[in-house]
Amino acid sequence: MREIQFREALREALSEEMRKDEKIFLMGEEVAEYNGAYKVSQGMLDEFGPKRVIDTPIAELGFAGIGVGAAMNGLKPIVEFMTFNFSLVAIDQVINAAAKIHSMSGGQFSIPIVFRGPTGNAGQLGAQHSQNFENWYANTPGLKVVVPSNPYDAKGLLKSAIIDPDPVIFMESEVMYGDKGPVPEEEYYLEIGKANVVKEGTDVTVVSFGKMIPRVVLPAIEELTKEGVNVELIDLRSVRPIDYATIVESVKKTNRLVIVEEAWPLASISSEITYKVQRDAFDYLDAPVTRVTAADVPLPYAPTLVEAALPSVAKVVKAVKEVAYLKK
């Protein structure tokens, strides 16, 4: 199977769906003339023209609102935020308009819109440009929230997001755009809301999503395997909906759970999963559910402090060992 970059997988998903349906268009800052801030939309202006690949002003609230209005009128917009940190400027359109219009109109309006762009830390970008808002959007009924961890998932999930009749928040990682991975040439879609069991195991279940999988969790599993700890890894793929059934069934097998996410700990995806597992699989747990999250502080600028604040391979290895060695 060929290997392509994460950005190329996203571009293929966008282009394939846009070739099928003239109602689909892409809009955002620098998506057209500049070929995208991260070159996801490279060449798309030449193929689809300025009516379907649209550069916008630096005005997230305005162009997010245009996207919602377009969706209400039968078009299928894909709105790119240069970073989801900037989506806070448009949050009223996302939360109070896109997420609620279908319900408030009694089903008269569908909102087939995708809001996509990078999320999370990407080096020394400071506290205002290094945040994770997956849990914010996942807390909102009416939205779906997708966070892919590799090029294969990125393409299949984005294609599903584009054809979804409801609004989808599609969160990528800035540091992953150049990552390569196997992606088939044949067309495919991945179901939103179905987790992927990346690796089966018997000792500890590890649940994670997004860039934590390739950057932190998989290297940690390599180390743990050498020490004889057999980890089962679940990639959520989406955090709304969450595939609770797959997590619970895994915990019933391993009797232990570690959750890894890049966001802050309070009111997080990991705290929600912890609640669900202790409710539905409490009798199977042989150790406390453990989380590895960011420190509960604005992300510092100094690289040593960034490393100290975020989940790391060493922190995941330590957490897994702590629960793995609590034998029955």
Side-chain angles (χ1 to χ4, degrees):
M1 190 184 297
R2 62 178 183 150
E3 288 203 347
I4 63 174
Q5 291 183 337
F6 197 96
R7 61 167 58 89
E8 294 173 311
L10 294 170
R11 187 186 310 137
E12 285 190 357
L14 293 166
S15 299
E16 287 177 9
E17 295 306 315
M18 288 177 71
R19 291 180 193 124
K20 291 179 184 179
D21 190 344
E22 292 186 354
K23 295 180 180 179
I24 300 171
F25 68 95
L26 172 67
M27 65 189 303
E29 297 148 345
E30 300 183 345
V31 300
E33 296 288 346
Y34 191 66
N35 289 304
Y38 303 100
K39 299 301 177 273
V40 170
S41 54
Q42 187 164 18
M44 292 180 63
L45 175 63
D46 293 336
E47 178 175 357
F48 299 105
K51 289 186 177 181
R52 298 185 64 199
V53 182
I54 305 168
D55 278 329
T56 66
I58 303 174
E60 287 81 8
L61 178 62
F63 65 76
I66 290 171
V68 173
M72 291 179 68
N73 283 277
L75 299 179
K76 299 177 181 179
I78 302 161
V79 175
E80 177 177 315
F81 295 122
M82 193 178 292
T83 161
F84 265 96
N85 295 277
F86 301 164
S87 75
L88 299 191
V89 180
I91 200 164
D92 181 63
Q93 288 295 333
V94 179
I95 300 296
N96 280 330
K100 295 183 172 65
I101 286 173
H102 180 75
S103 175
M104 293 178 69
S105 70
Q108 294 180 77
F109 289 100
S110 292
I111 310 294
I113 188 171
V114 176
F115 298 99
R116 52 160 293 270
T119 184
N121 171 64
Q124 292 177 266
L125 298 180
Q128 294 177 328
H129 291 72
S130 305
Q131 302 171 97
N132 292 79
F133 296 114
E134 295 92 327
N135 58 322
W136 284 36
Y137 289 113
N139 189 246
T140 305
L143 298 177
K144 296 176 182 176
V145 183
V146 177
V147 194
S149 68
N150 59 74
Y152 174 83
D153 287 6
K155 181 176 180 180
L157 291 168
L158 182 54
K159 285 172 69 68
S160 295
I162 292 170
I163 66 171
D164 198 292
D166 298 312
V168 179
I169 307 295
F170 197 92
M171 307 181 99
E172 306 145 13
S173 170
E174 190 174 329
V175 302
M176 289 173 58
Y177 284 122
D179 287 5
K180 285 190 172 182
V183 177
E185 294 186 12
E186 298 79 16
E187 186 177 23
Y188 66 98
Y189 296 83
L190 294 177
E191 179 184 353
I192 295 174
K194 181 64 178 175
N196 179 33
V197 180
V198 179
K199 176 186 176 296
E200 294 189 356
T202 56
D203 295 335
V204 180
T205 298
V206 174
V207 172
S208 190
F209 56 91
K211 85 161 179 274
M212 289 291 97
I213 299 277
R215 291 297 191 273
V216 174
V217 178
L218 286 173
I221 288 176
E222 287 185 18
E223 290 191 22
L224 290 161
T225 300
K226 294 175 184 177
E227 299 187 35
V229 181
N230 190 357
V231 172
E232 177 148 303
L233 173 58
I234 297 174
D235 182 348
L236 289 179
R237 287 179 167 166
S238 68
V239 295
R240 187 180 183 105
I242 294 174
D243 185 356
Y244 296 111
T246 294
I247 299 169
V248 168
E249 286 306 308
S250 177
V251 170
K252 287 181 178 180
K253 177 173 65 173
T254 66
N255 311 115
R256 295 162 177 83
L257 175 62
V258 174
I259 311 160
V260 183
E261 69 172 322
E262 190 179 357
W264 300 304
L266 183 64
S268 60
I269 301 300
S270 58
S271 58
E272 162 64 17
I273 292 173
T274 299
Y275 162 74
K276 188 71 172 180
V277 168
Q278 67 83 26
R279 192 190 76 172
D280 293 351
F282 181 80
D283 290 341
Y284 294 88
L285 287 170
D286 290 327
V289 175
T290 299
R291 302 186 295 161
V292 180
T293 70
D296 197 16
V297 297
L299 195 70
Y301 180 79
T304 50
L305 295 178
V306 170
E307 182 179 359
L310 293 176
S312 65
V313 173
K315 292 175 185 176
V316 173
V317 168
K318 180 175 182 290
V320 170
K321 283 183 177 179
E322 285 177 352
V323 299
Y325 296 152
L326 291 171
K327 298 297 184 182
K328 295 180 182 179

